Amino acid sequence: MVKITDVARHAGVSPSTVSYALSGKRPISQMTRQRIESSIRELGYRPHAGARALASSRSNVLALVVPLRAGIHVPVVMQFAVSVVTTARGHDHDVLLLTQEEGEEGLRRVADTALVDALIVMDVQLRDPRLPLLRSLDRPSVMIGFPQEPDGLTCIDLDFRAAGELCVERLARLGHRVMALVGSPPEVYVRETAFAQRVVQGFTAAADRNGMSSCVRPCEAAPGAARRVAERLLSEQPALTGVVVHNEAVLEPLIEAFEQLGLRVPGDLSVIAICPDELAESLRVPVTSVALPSAELGARAVELLTKKLDGTAVPEATLLPPRLTDRASTAPRNAS
Amino acid sequence: MVKITDVARHAGVSPSTVSYALSGKRPISQMTRQRIESSIRELGYRPHAGARALASSRSNVLALVVPLRAGIHVPVVMQFAVSVVTTARGHDHDVLLLTQEEGEEGLRRVADTALVDALIVMDVQLRDPRLPLLRSLDRPSVMIGFPQEPDGLTCIDLDFRAAGELCVERLARLGHRVMALVGSPPEVYVRETAFAQRVVQGFTAAADRNGMSSCVRPCEAAPGAARRVAERLLSEQPALTGVVVHNEAVLEPLIEAFEQLGLRVPGDLSVIAICPDELAESLRVPVTSVALPSAELGARAVELLTKKLDGTAVPEATLLPPRLTDRASTAPRNAS
DNA sequence: TTGAAAGCGCTAACAA
DNA sequence: TTGTTAGCGCTTTCAA
C-alpha cells in the first residue's frame, strides 16, 4: 500500500506538505504542488480513509436513513437516495445506508462511533421518537419532513399544505365546485405522518375559502380499493367534478375506475395528482400534477448538511414551493 | 469522547484487555469481562470506527453499487438494498451506497482508500467493463448477475434460464401449444444484460423441446407499448394461448390490453410472469409467477461476501432455482 | 513556503 | 489470563 510518506519521499518533500497539498489548507508553491501531484499519480496514492478519519475527526461519510413502511412510494425513496449520493459525492462525501428498522440505536451507533459526520433522516413523523436523540447527537442532521416541534432541528420538505391548496385553486379556476381528495392509506394518517395531514389541511382550507363542497377519503393501496373509493365518492357526491389524488399507488386504478363508472377524464371529471412527474407523465391520460421533487429534496438536504458541517448557519425550516404542471387530466367544468 | 483507555482505567485492566473483550479474540476471565462490560455501559463507550479501521485494516463496511438504468424495476433494487443492509448488520457490517454512475473510478476509490472491505455489484452485464477491475482489487466482491467470463469472480443470481423453462413447462402441462414471451425493453438486450437473454434462451429451448410454436417480443415500458405488443401478437399468432411476461412495467397494462382485445385471462389466454411476488399478487387478476427473490439474493450475496472476508472458500457461481406460484392467471387450454 | 513531530484511538504481536 | 507497547497512516500544531 502506498502511503503519504512514500509520496513525500518520492517528491522530495515532507509528509505534511503532501497533506496540505491535498487538503489545500495552506499555500503550496506552484513547483512543489506539481511535483507532489505527479508523484501521487505515478505511485497511485490513495489516502487511507480510516487514518484520515482518525486524525481529522472527519469521516466524510453521511448517513441516510430510509423508510420501509407501507404507503411509501418506493421510486420516490430510491430517487431521493440516488440524488443524495450524487450530491454528496459532489461535496466529497460518501453515503452510508441505514434502514428505519435500525431505529434510534442505529443512529446513535453510527454517530457515536464517528462512522458518519452527519445524518439525513427521511419520513419524519409528527412526534418522531428520534427527535430528542437527533437533538442530543454531537453531529448535525437534516430531516425530510416536519415534526410537530422542529425547534433546534433542520427540516426540509415540499410545502404540502401549499400543494393541497394549489390543486384546489386550479380546480376552482376551471369552474369546479364539488371536489374530493383521495389520500394515503389510513395507516399513514394513524401514524401521524405530517405531509399527509398537511395536504388535507391545505385542500380543506382552500376548498372552504372558495366556498366549495369537499370531502377527504383515505385509500388503501390494495387492488380493489380504488374502485370502491370511486364508487362511494360518486354515490355520496353525485355532483363531483374535481378530484385531487395524493396516493401514487392508486392514481392509475382510480382513473380507470372512474372511467369504467362512466365518467370521462377530463370531460366529466378533472383529476390532479400530487406525485412524481415521471408517474404523472407515464399514464395513459397524462395527469396534471404537483411535482414531488425527490431529487431536488435530496440535493438540498445534502447541501444543508454540508453547510452545517462547514459551520455555516442554515434555516431551520425549508419549504419547497409546489410546482403544478398542466397535463391532459384537467379541463373546465362541463357547462351542461 | 470516551476512549478505550478510559474504559480500561475504569475497569482496572489494560486497554488491550478491553479490546480483546470486545473482539473475543482471546479468552477473558468471567470476572474481568463483567467488569469491562459494566464499565463500557457506565461510561457509554463506543469504539471509534476510524481508529479501528486503521489499526485492524477492517472498516466493517461493504459497498453496494446500485443500477440506475432504464428497464430496471425500482422496487426490486430497493428491496435488494434493504435486504443487503439488514443482513450486513447481522454480520456487524454497514453498507455504503454507490451508484452505477460513479463507475469504475468509484469502485477503485472506495476499495483503495480502504473505506470498504468488500463490494456487491448489481446489474452485471455480459461484458461488464468493471470485471477486470474487480478481479484486480485486493478486496473481495460478489456480483449479482452473470457475465460472459465469470472466472475468478463470485456471482449469484436467479437461474433465469431455468425460470424461462419453468414457465414454458407449466404452460405446456396446461395444454398450451402456441406461446409468446414479452420481454424487457430493447435497450436491455442491446446492452447485453445477461438475465434478460437467459430468460429468452430458456423460454425458446423449452418451447422447441416441447414442439411448441413460440416467439419473443421485447417491450418498452411506455404507456401504449403494451397495447401495441398485444395487438401485434394476436394478429401474428392468432392461435396464441400462453404468454410469459418478463417485464414488470408492462405486466398489468398487457393483461388489460389483452382483455380489451376480447381475450379473457385465464379463459382464453394464460399468463405467467417472472417478477416479484408482491407485484404478481397485487394485480386485479393475481398472476401465476416465478418469483424474483430480491431479498433472498441480497441476503445470500452478503453471506457469500462475509465468508470470503473470513477466508472461507465459496462457490464461484450460485444459481437460485426458480420457484413458481400458481395464481389466477393460468388455466388449462380451452378445448373449444 | 516548508519541515518535524506529536498525537488521533485502536489492535495485535510479544512478553509475562 | 493479562499487560506493555509499537505501530496503523494521516492531520495539524509548532517552529523555522
Side-chain angles (χ1 to χ4, degrees):
Chain A
M1 183 201 192
V2 182
K3 35 196 170 186
I4 201 168
T5 49
D6 299 325
V7 176
R9 196 175 323 113
H10 187 274
V13 297
S14 77
S16 62
T17 303
V18 177
S19 176
Y20 284 119
L22 244 30
S23 69
K25 287 187 181 172
R26 84 179 183 190
I28 304 282
S29 77
Q30 190 61 43
M31 214 194 63
T32 26
R33 152 155 293 128
Q34 286 182 350
R35 277 224 310 289
I36 290 173
E37 277 167 4
S38 67
S39 292
I40 287 178
R41 233 174 299 116
E42 210 164 310
L43 302 180
Y45 168 66
R46 302 274 194 173
H48 187 287
R52 248 186 180 178
L54 178 57
S56 68
S57 37
R58 280 296 177 95
S59 67
N60 276 31
V61 175
L62 310 178
L64 170 64
V65 189
V66 299
L68 298 170
R69 350 265 281 293
I72 291 180
H73 190 58
V74 176
V76 167
V77 176
M78 194 71 195
Q79 204 187 349
F80 182 86
V82 167
S83 163
V84 165
V85 171
T86 307
T87 312
R89 286 302 310 138
H91 293 266
D92 195 30
H93 281 260
D94 277 286
V95 174
L96 199 80
L97 186 63
L98 298 179
T99 61
Q100 201 90 290
E101 189 183 48
E102 285 220 58
E104 303 169 55
E105 165 57 17
L107 296 183
R108 204 194 309 273
R109 183 176 56 80
V110 297
D112 288 354
T113 60
L115 223 194
V116 306
D117 295 334
L119 306 96
I120 297 178
V121 179
M122 295 184 74
D123 190 35
V124 172
Q125 312 295 301
L126 277 177
R127 310 152 201 276
D128 202 297
R130 298 168 295 186
L131 299 183
L133 173 62
L134 289 171
R135 269 188 268 259
S136 74
L137 287 180
D138 56 337
R139 327 196 97 87
S141 55
V142 167
M143 337 201 38
I144 313 305
F146 282 80
Q148 197 122 57
E149 312 268 356
D151 333 26
L153 295 166
T154 305
C155 305
I156 180 171
D157 210 347
L158 173 65
D159 188 339
F160 278 101
R161 191 176 215 290
E165 290 176 339
L166 183 54
C167 293
V168 172
E169 302 292 353
R170 169 58 103 261
L171 289 173
R173 204 166 320 146
L174 290 168
H176 299 280
R177 312 301 307 157
V178 180
M179 56 191 59
L181 169 64
V182 177
S184 304
E187 60 262 36
V188 172
Y189 298 94
V190 169
R191 69 174 183 242
E192 301 199 298
T193 302
F195 75 91
Q197 302 194 358
R198 295 235 162 68
V199 170
V200 172
Q201 288 162 11
F203 172 85
T204 306
D208 291 354
R209 206 160 56 220
N210 286 273
M212 305 161 88
S213 162
S214 77
C215 71
V216 176
R217 295 274 177 278
C219 183
E220 303 284 355
R227 171 73 183 222
R228 284 195 299 279
V229 167
E231 284 171 354
R232 272 194 50 199
L233 277 176
L234 292 187
S235 76
E236 294 174 9
Q237 304 246 63
L240 183 72
T241 65
V243 175
V244 176
V245 183
H246 181 211
N247 183 327
E248 288 88 353
V250 300
L251 178 55
E252 176 163 34
L254 194 68
I255 293 177
E256 298 295 331
F258 280 125
E259 299 213 314
Q260 279 167 22
L261 292 169
L263 292 184
R264 292 306 192 74
V265 174
D268 304 310
L269 200 67
S270 282
V271 174
I272 303 187
I274 301 174
C275 72
D277 276 336
E278 298 76 50
L279 175 58
E281 286 163 0
S282 76
L283 299 191
R284 191 175 43 74
V285 180
V287 176
T288 296
S289 72
V290 169
L292 210 70
S294 33
E296 187 185 350
L297 277 172
R300 298 282 295 266
V302 171
E303 273 147 18
L304 286 169
L305 215 40
T306 51
K307 275 196 188 134
K308 288 179 91 169
L309 283 170
D310 291 348
T312 310
V314 300
E316 290 206 341
T318 306
L319 280 172
L320 301 186
R323 196 175 44 68
L324 187 146
T325 303
D326 283 301
R327 298 199 182 80
S329 66
T330 40
R333 184 173 61 139
N334 203 317
S336 67
Chain B
M1 184 201 192
V2 183
K3 35 196 170 186
I4 201 169
T5 50
D6 299 325
V7 177
R9 197 175 322 113
H10 186 274
V13 299
S14 78
S16 64
T17 303
V18 177
S19 176
Y20 285 119
L22 244 29
S23 69
K25 288 188 182 172
R26 82 180 186 190
I28 305 282
S29 78
Q30 189 63 44
M31 216 194 61
T32 31
R33 150 156 294 129
Q34 286 181 351
R35 276 223 313 287
I36 290 173
E37 276 167 5
S38 66
S39 293
I40 287 178
R41 234 174 298 116
E42 211 165 308
L43 301 179
Y45 168 66
R46 300 274 192 172
H48 187 288
R52 243 183 184 183
L54 178 57
S56 68
S57 37
R58 279 297 176 94
S59 67
N60 275 31
V61 175
L62 310 179
L64 170 63
V65 188
V66 298
L68 300 170
R69 349 267 279 296
I72 291 180
H73 192 58
V74 177
V76 167
V77 176
M78 193 73 193
Q79 204 186 351
F80 182 86
V82 167
S83 162
V84 164
V85 171
T86 308
T87 312
R89 286 301 311 138
H91 292 266
D92 194 30
H93 281 260
D94 277 286
V95 175
L96 199 80
L97 186 62
L98 298 180
T99 60
Q100 201 90 291
E101 192 183 47
E102 284 221 58
E104 303 167 56
E105 166 56 18
L107 297 183
R108 204 195 308 272
R109 183 176 58 80
V110 296
D112 288 355
T113 60
L115 224 194
V116 307
D117 294 335
L119 307 96
I120 297 178
V121 178
M122 294 184 74
D123 190 34
V124 172
Q125 311 296 301
L126 276 178
R127 310 152 201 277
D128 202 296
R130 298 167 296 186
L131 299 184
L133 172 62
L134 288 171
R135 269 187 268 256
S136 74
L137 289 179
D138 55 338
R139 314 191 159 231
S141 56
V142 167
M143 338 200 39
I144 314 306
F146 282 81
Q148 197 123 57
E149 312 270 355
D151 335 25
L153 296 165
T154 305
C155 306
I156 181 171
D157 210 345
L158 173 65
D159 188 339
F160 278 99
R161 189 176 217 290
E165 291 175 339
L166 184 54
C167 294
V168 172
E169 302 290 353
R170 170 56 103 260
L171 289 173
R173 203 166 318 145
L174 289 167
H176 300 280
R177 313 301 307 157
V178 179
M179 56 191 59
L181 169 64
V182 177
S184 304
E187 61 262 34
V188 172
Y189 297 95
V190 169
R191 70 175 183 242
E192 301 200 296
T193 303
F195 74 90
Q197 301 194 358
R198 295 237 161 67
V199 170
V200 172
Q201 289 162 10
F203 172 85
T204 306
D208 290 355
R209 206 160 54 222
N210 285 273
M212 304 164 87
S213 162
S214 76
C215 70
V216 176
R217 295 274 178 277
C219 183
E220 303 284 353
R227 172 72 184 223
R228 283 195 300 279
V229 166
E231 285 171 353
R232 271 194 51 197
L233 277 176
L234 292 186
S235 76
E236 293 173 9
Q237 304 246 61
L240 183 73
T241 64
V243 175
V244 176
V245 183
H246 180 212
N247 183 329
E248 287 91 353
V250 301
L251 178 55
E252 177 163 34
L254 194 69
I255 293 177
E256 298 297 329
F258 280 125
E259 300 212 315
Q260 279 167 20
L261 291 169
L263 292 184
R264 293 307 195 71
V265 175
D268 305 310
L269 200 66
S270 282
V271 174
I272 303 186
I274 301 174
C275 72
D277 276 337
E278 298 78 49
L279 174 59
E281 284 163 1
S282 76
L283 299 190
R284 191 174 44 74
V285 180
V287 176
T288 296
S289 72
V290 169
L292 209 69
S294 33
E296 188 187 349
L297 276 172
R300 298 283 295 268
V302 171
E303 273 148 18
L304 286 169
L305 216 39
T306 51
K307 274 195 189 136
K308 288 179 91 170
L309 284 169
D310 291 348
T312 310
V314 301
E316 291 207 340
T318 307
L319 280 172
L320 301 186
R323 197 175 42 69
L324 188 146
T325 303
D326 283 300
R327 299 200 180 81
S329 66
T330 39
R333 184 173 63 139
N334 202 317
S336 67

